[in-house]
Amino acid sequence: VISRISFETERQGSGTELVKFLCTVGEKYGYQSLIFECPNLNCLAFMKKLGFNKGNRLALKDLKLSLHNYYEQKNNRDKIRN
């Protein structure tokens, strides 16, 4: 259980990387889903970005797919900018 976490800088990918790591660890130890507490609107936006639409629980397989899609979209945006 991680009760609360924050980063010095926001919108730099640290939270997304942490969730990616938690997926890897969760799979290794047989977890089926991740549950997030949403203490503020920034967290809610972050959760929606990762695929949490209803409630605060998401199956690891769905979360991994959301992360894959997020990184794919991000890479496409970066290619367009460059």
Side-chain angles (χ1 to χ4, degrees):
V1 173
I2 299 172
S3 65
R4 189 157 298 191
I5 191 165
S6 65
F7 299 96
E8 285 186 21
T9 56
E10 293 182 1
R11 303 189 58 81
Q12 301 297 312
S14 301
T16 307
E17 286 297 317
L18 175 62
V19 171
K20 186 176 167 184
F21 171 75
L22 291 174
C23 283
T24 301
V25 171
E27 282 186 317
K28 180 178 178 180
Y29 291 100
Y31 286 83
Q32 299 297 312
S33 60
L34 286 180
I35 301 171
F36 276 78
E37 177 183 305
C38 188
N40 58 52
L41 293 176
N42 289 339
C43 181
L44 181 60
F46 175 70
M47 289 174 57
K48 283 184 178 183
K49 174 184 89 168
L50 295 180
F52 290 83
N53 293 318
K54 296 179 181 175
N56 60 351
R57 177 186 298 257
L58 190 62
L60 284 181
K61 64 180 179 135
D62 296 332
L63 185 52
K64 284 180 65 177
L65 179 60
S66 290
L67 284 167
H68 172 78
N69 292 338
Y70 167 76
Y71 282 113
E72 192 172 84
Q73 289 174 358
K74 184 178 183 304
N75 288 337
N76 288 337
R77 283 191 309 264
D78 291 345
K79 286 178 185 177
I80 291 170
R81 288 181 188 155
N82 295 327

